[in-house]
């Protein structure tokens, strides 16, 4: 493809200018703090020496050294980042060379030449559905050039074509292809400096703690130094926000710019198709990992995660009616946003990446199209892709501690078990996704009139009715977000709703309007739910079945009410236990644990009821049962001798999370029982139904 000239956009230049201004404001602020620290250090050393000279004795010697250390400790704090190195963790990576994979390296070489950048120092494979360029950075890397490394996720290679992989890698190298892009690297390093001063203080804290422990006199001046440092950190927090917001704005423009470079190399189509598939590919890989998480207790592992990953992605795609071509799902922009009915648009100043929709819009605007797209699987760039996948799979499972000798699950058995798991945890296709994220809205089944005209099954679960359900979900989510904006939990001043711009003060009126819309919409959905009940009741009578549908609906609605009150115990206890994550005075900790005792009794009673309830028995595993029995066996103490009893807290939190999971699982099973029964009622009329 002929090399196309890529110009830096005016918005990119604007964000670059903002970032540079923010950096300069930080530098001026930092230099003022440093000047203060140097002056304080000189003054403290001079004062300490004068005190010792004036009256030489042990106390004045200790006080003199303590005074001198005050300034030195503050100065060390402000300079410690210079000696800090941030090396990337490479334990999960798998280095490859040109000898290992000549065709892949040939592709990389062609990209760096077309983009106009340098070849990476090293190339690594990772397990992820991603690619990235990274480097080890420290203070001096802002002033001297540093070689970058390329990380290629095998999960990405597994789910793209050769042209798509070339586009993704071109995007990564695009970040470093022009001189103006160095601003992003510079901002990143300055950000690291600020982060170090604010949060990376573990070694420094140990230093001042050891110094304070040497003498009671020294500890006096350590306390003063800490107070000065806390004042500096307050200033730095403010600066961190300023620099970060500027950097995030620049980062989004960097993404757009790198996308343009990728489009200039391959045409925009390969990057567009890979971006649209990325979410499905990532979700599918996580599904495979989740599948094997549950197999650890059985000492079972995978022989090839990536073969299973590709199967799951295509299976999920087909189940979602997404066309699969060249063994890869072709996700459209409509399918990406199929169930997103939100009309609320908020400019997220903290987002480092633009949305997929925005990126695709900008890609298409480049007009860089290509007729020469290679749809061959990217895996074929490797000499022996299956061996590479198996080697990385072994590396992943090597990190897991199995209780006994592990065995691999054959691929065909994996497919069978995974399909069964999906079917067991989903609803029949006849419902068209209507119930996937909504429940039947409550009504009184015994008060419903049955003598109505025929109701058509296809109309009940039409695309229009599914759309109504998701519109209600989107509306509810928008209302909750607007409430957060109104309360300043989300700190923004303006937003767009349904194409119209609003200010924060407009939230109250808009919320009232949307709540009225939601009420009307839910009433329309409820009427459809009633028609569904009428339709299946009629089928039940025609089939001469024992009339149980009404009782199934009542049972579900009762559980729905019960669920809210029982789940509230989980919410209350979780919120009340938040203090264990923060530094809390000892007396307050004791008082907090006394306060949660009544809520903990509610939890224990709920667990006892759950253990006695037949509907949960199939879901209570051996591990869950053992945890519940252990938790119920005694009244655990969680704090004593001025320290937390971590093992006891783990028992509590595990029981709490198991309780919440089983409540939600019980809800699902009750719903599935009802919906499966309805499917059984129509199988004679619709024999091909699934």
């Amino acid at each position: 493809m002929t090399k196309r000239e890529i110009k830096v956009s005016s918005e990119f230049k604007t964000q670059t200018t903002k970032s540079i201004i923010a950096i300069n404001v930080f530098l001026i602020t930092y230099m003022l703090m440093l000047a203060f620290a140097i002056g304080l250090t000189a003054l403290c050393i001079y004062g300490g020496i004068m005190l010792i000279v004036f009256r030489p004795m042990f106390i004045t010697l200790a006080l003199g050294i303590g005074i001198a250390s005050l300034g030195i400790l503050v100065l060390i704090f402000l300079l410690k980042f210079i000696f800090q190195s941030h090396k990337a963790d490479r334990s999960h990576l798998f280095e490859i060379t040109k000898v290992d994979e000549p065709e892949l390296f040939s592709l990389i070489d062609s990209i760096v030449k077309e983009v106009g950048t340098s070849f990476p120092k090293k190339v690594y494979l990772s397990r992820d559905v991603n690619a990235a360029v990274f480097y080890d950075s420290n203070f001096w890397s802002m002033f001297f050039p540093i070689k970058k490394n390329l990380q290629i996720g095998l999960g990405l290679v597994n789910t793209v074509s050769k042209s798509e992989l070339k586009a993704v890698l071109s995007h990564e190298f695009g970040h470093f292809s022009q001189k103006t892009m160095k601003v992003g690297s510079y901002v990143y390093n300055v950000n690291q400096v600020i982060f170090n001063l604010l949060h990376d203080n573990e070694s420094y804290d140990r230093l001042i703690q050891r110094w304070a422990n040497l003498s009671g006199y020294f500890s006096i001046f350590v306390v003063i130094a800490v107070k000065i440092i806390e004042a500096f950190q307050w200033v730095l927090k403010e600066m961190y926000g300023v620099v970060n917001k500027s950097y995030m704005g620049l980062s989004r423009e960097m993404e757009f710019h790198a996308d343009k470079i990728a489009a200039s190399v391959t045409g925009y189509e390969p990057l567009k198709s890979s971006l649209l598939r990325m979410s499905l590919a990532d979700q599918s890989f996580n599904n495979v990992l989740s599948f094997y998480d549950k197999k650890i207790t059985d000492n079972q592992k995978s022989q090839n995660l990536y073969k299973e990953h590709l199967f799951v992605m295509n299976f999920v795609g087909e189940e979602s009616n997404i066309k699969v071509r060249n063994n890869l799902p072709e996700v459209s922009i409509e399918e990406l946003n199929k169930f997103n009915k939100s009309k609320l648009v908020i400019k997220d100043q903290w987002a480092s990446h633009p949305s997929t929709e925005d990126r695709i819009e900008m890609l298409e605007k480049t007009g860089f199209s290509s007729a020469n797209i290679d749809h061959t699987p990217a895996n074929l760039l490797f000499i022996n892709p299956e061996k590479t996948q198996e080697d990385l799979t072994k590396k992943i499972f090597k990190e897991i501690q199995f209780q006994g000798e592990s065995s691999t699950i054959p691929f065909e058995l994996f497919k069978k078990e995974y399909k069964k798991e999906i079917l067991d945890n989903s609803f029949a296709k006849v419902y068209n996704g209507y119930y996937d994220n909504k429940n039947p809205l409550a009504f009184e089944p015994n008060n419903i009139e049955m003598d109505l005209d025929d109701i058509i099954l296809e109309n009940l679960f039409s695309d229009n009715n599914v759309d109504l359900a998701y519109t209600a979900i989107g509306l509810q989510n928008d209302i909750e977000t607007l409430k957060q904006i109104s309360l300043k939990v989300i700190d923004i001043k303006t937003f767009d709703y349904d194409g119209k711009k609003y200010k924060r003060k407009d939230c109250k009126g808009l919320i009232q309007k949307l709540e009225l819309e939601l009420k009307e919409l839910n009433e329309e959905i409820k009427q459809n739910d009633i028609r569904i009940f009428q339709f299946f009741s009629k089928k039940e009578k025609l089939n001469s079945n024992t009339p149980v549908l009404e009782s199934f609906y009542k049972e579900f609605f009762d559980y729905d009410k019960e669920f809210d009150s029982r789940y509230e115990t989980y919410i209350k206890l979780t919120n009340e236990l938040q203090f264990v994550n923060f530094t809390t005075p000892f007396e307050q900790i004791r008082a907090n644990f006394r306060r949660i005792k009544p809520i903990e009794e509610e939890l224990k009673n709920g667990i006892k009821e759950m253990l006695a309830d037949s509907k949960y028995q199939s879901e209570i595993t051996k591990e869950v049962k053992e945890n519940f029995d252990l938790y119920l066996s005694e009244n655990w103490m969680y704090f004593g001798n001025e320290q937390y009893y971590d093992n006891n807290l783990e028992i509590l939190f595990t029981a709490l999370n198991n309780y919440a999971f089983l409540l939600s699982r019980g809800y699902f099973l009750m719903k599935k029982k009802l919906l499966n029964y309805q499917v059984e009622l129509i199988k004679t009329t619709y024999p091909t139904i699934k």
Side-chain angles (χ1 to χ4, degrees):
M1 182 175 286
T2 306
K3 185 173 175 63
R4 290 137 166 171
E5 183 182 357
I6 303 298
K7 293 181 179 179
V8 175
S9 69
S10 58
E11 183 63 22
F12 181 86
K13 292 177 182 177
T14 300
Q15 293 298 336
T16 301
T17 302
K18 286 182 179 180
S19 293
I20 292 171
I21 291 171
I23 294 166
N24 285 328
V25 170
F26 163 73
L27 289 175
I28 292 168
T29 304
Y30 175 77
M31 293 306 294
L32 288 172
M33 290 191 295
L34 186 61
F36 171 82
I38 292 170
L40 178 66
T41 302
L43 186 63
C44 288
I45 292 173
Y46 176 77
I49 292 171
M50 287 296 100
L51 179 62
I52 295 168
V53 170
F54 177 71
R55 182 167 292 182
M57 53 192 300
F58 176 77
I59 293 178
T60 56
L61 178 65
L63 288 172
I65 294 173
I67 292 171
S69 71
L70 167 61
I72 293 171
L73 289 173
V74 173
L75 188 61
I76 289 173
F77 170 77
L78 288 175
L79 295 175
K80 67 185 176 71
F81 69 84
I82 294 175
F83 310 101
Q84 185 76 30
S85 177
H86 292 273
K87 289 192 175 182
D89 177 16
R90 300 181 190 178
S91 61
H92 62 293
L93 301 179
F94 192 90
E95 185 179 354
I96 55 173
T97 65
K98 189 172 184 177
V99 175
D100 300 322
E101 303 294 349
E103 191 175 347
L104 176 64
F105 272 70
S106 176
L107 174 68
I108 295 169
D109 191 47
S110 70
I111 293 170
V112 297
K113 286 175 181 174
E114 288 186 71
V115 172
T117 186
S118 58
F119 201 88
K121 181 182 178 182
K122 291 183 179 180
V123 178
Y124 296 94
L125 293 180
S126 72
R127 74 182 196 177
D128 308 314
V129 185
N130 196 10
V133 176
F134 71 95
Y135 49 85
D136 296 329
S137 63
N138 55 34
F139 175 74
W140 302 111
S141 64
M142 289 190 289
F143 306 102
F144 301 102
I146 187 166
K147 289 278 285 182
K148 52 196 171 291
N149 305 300
L150 176 63
Q151 175 183 324
I152 305 173
L154 208 56
L156 170 70
V157 177
N158 198 42
T159 53
V160 293
S161 67
K162 285 184 178 180
S163 285
E164 289 171 339
L165 181 62
K166 185 175 182 179
V168 173
L169 296 184
S170 298
H171 168 95
E172 294 303 327
F173 284 115
H175 282 306
F176 298 87
S177 64
Q178 296 186 354
K179 290 181 180 179
T180 49
M181 300 303 291
K182 291 181 180 178
V183 175
S185 176
Y186 191 80
V187 171
Y188 170 80
N189 282 284
V190 170
N191 246 356
Q192 288 293 96
V193 170
I194 301 173
F195 180 85
N196 175 269
L197 294 173
L198 276 176
H199 305 294
D200 200 357
N201 294 310
E202 209 172 306
S203 299
Y204 180 77
D205 288 343
R206 286 198 299 267
L207 169 69
I208 61 173
Q209 189 63 53
R210 284 198 301 267
W211 181 253
N213 290 339
L214 289 176
S215 167
Y217 297 111
F218 294 173
S219 65
I220 296 169
F221 299 101
V222 167
V223 171
I224 298 171
V226 168
K227 292 296 180 185
I228 294 170
I229 289 168
E230 285 175 352
F232 283 169
Q233 287 182 318
W234 182 86
V235 175
L236 288 167
K237 281 178 184 176
E238 297 300 310
M239 292 309 307
Y240 189 73
V242 170
V243 173
N244 253 311
K245 279 187 180 180
S246 300
Y247 174 63
M248 292 304 147
L250 176 59
S251 179
R252 291 190 293 273
E253 290 304 314
M254 288 168 63
E255 292 300 315
F256 285 134
H257 185 269
D259 283 349
K260 286 182 183 178
I261 291 172
S264 75
V265 175
T266 64
Y268 74 81
E269 296 93 344
L271 188 57
K272 174 185 174 180
S273 58
S274 63
L275 283 172
L276 287 168
R277 192 185 306 116
M278 198 69 69
S279 177
L280 174 60
D282 191 49
Q283 174 200 336
S284 300
F285 189 62
N286 287 330
N287 286 351
V288 175
L289 294 177
S290 178
F291 175 88
Y292 280 104
D293 277 344
K294 290 174 278 191
K295 297 294 182 180
I296 292 174
T297 54
D298 298 326
N299 296 318
Q300 291 181 307
K301 61 184 180 181
S302 170
Q303 182 174 346
N304 188 336
L305 285 170
Y306 299 94
K307 188 175 182 180
E308 294 159 347
H309 173 210
L310 188 60
F311 160 75
V312 168
M313 183 178 69
N314 286 330
F315 175 73
V316 172
E318 288 169 351
E319 288 292 298
S320 304
N321 298 317
I322 296 172
K323 188 185 297 181
V324 175
R325 185 176 295 173
N326 300 308
N327 205 29
L328 293 172
E330 286 191 345
V331 183
S332 67
I333 193 76
E334 291 76 23
E335 284 159 336
L336 188 70
N337 291 318
K338 185 176 180 180
F339 300 125
N340 180 14
K341 302 299 179 181
S342 173
K343 298 179 181 179
L344 183 61
V345 179
I346 298 172
K347 186 177 180 181
D348 186 358
Q349 294 178 315
W350 293 95
S352 61
H353 283 60
S355 67
T356 299
E357 296 85 348
D358 288 343
R359 289 179 69 179
I360 288 171
E361 183 182 353
M362 294 297 283
L363 274 170
E364 290 176 338
K365 283 181 179 179
T366 65
F368 296 157
S369 187
S370 174
N372 301 316
I373 297 176
D374 188 348
H375 295 288
T376 308
N379 276 326
L380 298 183
L381 288 165
F382 290 77
I383 291 176
N384 190 338
E386 192 161 343
K387 183 180 182 303
T388 303
Q389 292 170 349
E390 289 176 357
D391 287 346
L392 196 52
T393 298
K394 286 176 185 175
K395 185 177 177 66
I396 293 168
F397 280 95
K398 194 176 180 181
E399 300 169 5
I400 297 172
Q401 297 291 325
F402 291 103
Q403 297 302 309
E405 187 176 346
S406 61
S407 61
T408 57
I409 297 179
F411 180 56
E412 291 302 319
L413 180 59
F414 168 83
K415 291 199 296 185
K416 182 180 177 182
E417 288 193 15
Y418 185 82
K419 283 182 177 180
K420 182 179 183 303
E421 186 177 291
I422 292 296
L423 292 173
D424 287 348
N425 291 280
S426 57
F427 305 119
K429 282 190 174 183
V430 66
Y431 295 120
N432 195 27
Y434 183 74
Y435 290 113
D436 285 0
N437 290 287
K438 79 169 285 292
N439 301 310
L441 297 182
F443 56 86
E444 289 294 336
N446 55 330
N447 293 338
I448 300 302
E449 174 64 46
M450 292 300 171
D451 295 328
L452 294 174
D453 296 334
D454 284 346
I455 301 171
I456 301 172
L457 176 67
E458 289 76 7
N459 291 346
L460 295 173
F461 306 110
S462 65
D463 289 344
N464 182 60
N465 281 332
V466 173
D467 190 71
L468 281 179
Y470 281 95
T471 300
I473 293 169
L475 201 51
Q476 182 64 59
N477 291 338
D478 285 349
I479 290 169
E480 294 305 317
T481 304
L482 288 169
K483 286 178 180 177
Q484 290 184 311
I485 294 171
S486 179
L487 295 169
K488 300 184 180 179
V489 175
I490 298 176
D491 188 18
I492 59 168
K493 295 179 181 178
T494 62
F495 58 90
D496 290 352
Y497 192 85
D498 201 14
K500 184 179 176 182
K501 189 169 285 295
Y502 290 87
K503 295 180 180 179
R504 183 190 290 138
K505 65 179 182 181
D506 302 323
C507 282
K508 188 176 180 181
L510 182 57
I511 289 169
Q512 290 175 344
K513 177 175 174 282
L514 296 183
E515 285 179 335
L516 184 61
E517 286 183 22
L518 181 61
K519 184 179 178 181
E520 293 173 354
L521 191 57
N522 279 335
E523 184 56 36
E524 189 175 350
I525 294 169
K526 182 179 177 179
Q527 291 305 313
N528 190 61
D529 286 352
I530 290 172
R531 285 194 294 274
I532 291 168
F533 172 71
Q534 291 170 326
F535 174 84
F536 286 104
S537 289
K538 188 173 182 179
K539 290 295 178 185
E540 188 178 50
K541 287 179 181 178
L542 289 172
N543 293 348
S544 300
N545 287 63
T546 305
V548 295
L549 183 65
E550 184 176 315
S551 65
F552 280 1
Y553 267 91
K554 285 180 178 178
E555 189 180 19
F556 177 78
F557 293 146
D558 287 342
Y559 189 84
D560 186 49
K561 294 175 187 174
E562 176 190 328
F563 176 86
D564 290 337
S565 61
R566 293 178 71 178
Y567 201 79
E568 183 63 26
T569 300
Y570 167 77
I571 298 295
K572 284 192 298 184
L573 195 50
T574 300
N575 291 337
E576 289 290 347
L577 286 167
Q578 288 300 311
F579 70 88
V580 301
N581 299 313
F582 306 99
T583 302
T584 309
F586 295 150
E587 279 307 313
Q588 185 62 51
I589 291 173
R590 294 185 186 95
N592 289 345
F593 278 123
R594 285 194 298 270
R595 190 174 66 248
I596 69 167
K597 276 297 177 186
I599 311 174
E600 201 177 354
E601 282 304 311
E602 290 179 24
L603 174 64
K604 288 189 173 183
N605 290 334
I607 290 173
K608 289 173 185 175
E609 290 173 9
M610 194 172 274
L611 288 170
D613 194 329
S614 60
K615 67 173 161 286
Y616 295 107
Q617 298 313 304
S618 63
E619 303 300 313
I620 298 176
T621 63
K622 179 184 175 184
E623 291 76 16
V624 171
K625 179 70 163 59
E626 287 174 353
N627 166 251
F628 279 168
D629 288 343
L630 181 60
Y631 176 61
L632 295 173
S633 65
E634 60 181 278
N635 292 318
W636 297 94
M637 297 291 294
Y638 306 113
F639 185 79
N641 300 321
E642 299 185 348
Q643 64 179 358
Y644 286 114
Y645 297 147
D646 290 336
N647 289 339
N648 296 357
L649 278 172
E650 185 178 351
I651 292 169
L652 168 62
F653 280 113
T654 303
L656 184 60
N657 291 329
N658 285 337
Y659 174 75
F661 168 77
L662 287 172
L663 274 180
S664 298
R665 188 65 183 164
Y667 199 109
F668 170 81
L669 292 174
M670 189 74 70
K671 181 176 172 181
K672 190 171 176 67
K673 174 185 171 184
L674 166 62
L675 299 184
N676 281 357
Y677 177 69
Q678 290 183 161
V679 170
E680 290 299 318
L681 291 174
I682 56 173
K683 275 191 173 178
T684 53
T685 313
Y686 303 87
T688 60
I689 210 154
K690 292 182 179 179

